[in-house]
Amino acid sequence: MIYAIAQLNVTNPETMAEYRAVAGEALARHGGKVESASSDVIALDGTPTLPPVAALLSFPDKQSALEWMNDPDLKDVHALRRNAGTSDILLMA
């Protein structure tokens, strides 16, 4: 199992709602799923810039995560997320 952290700053809630409606299925196509998501993000140590929303994603392996991100059939799904605000996704490889 491998994990990714998504940090989201939603500026277009309507587009984010569209994304959420299709995101789970898109993740599942590559064995991924949302393990947890929250708008209550707390720094345990240090002074990092905290995102308004964070999500922990899981994938069976690194290749599955890369295939999810680079799947040409999911181009429109990823565009919804990007158009909903800003997002950074970090793979913990």
Side-chain angles (χ1 to χ4, degrees):
M1 187 71 55
I2 195 165
Y3 297 95
I5 299 171
Q7 301 178 63
L8 309 164
N9 183 10
V10 178
T11 56
N12 186 334
E14 295 81 19
T15 302
M16 181 53 73
E18 290 179 53
Y19 173 71
R20 285 187 179 129
V22 296
E25 182 180 323
L27 278 165
R29 288 177 64 169
H30 295 281
K33 70 178 185 174
V34 176
E35 295 291 340
S36 180
S38 179
S39 59
D40 187 13
V41 180
I42 301 167
L44 292 179
D45 192 25
T47 55
T49 301
L50 298 176
V53 177
L56 178 65
L57 313 176
S58 67
F59 294 91
D61 51 43
K62 180 180 177 180
Q63 189 61 35
S64 297
L66 295 172
E67 289 172 357
W68 164 72
M69 184 53 67
N70 296 306
D71 185 337
D73 292 337
L74 298 180
K75 183 174 98 174
D76 292 340
V77 174
H78 293 303
L80 281 172
R81 184 189 70 254
R82 291 176 184 128
N83 290 330
T86 59
S87 63
D88 296 309
I89 302 175
L90 308 170
L91 185 61
M92 299 168 59

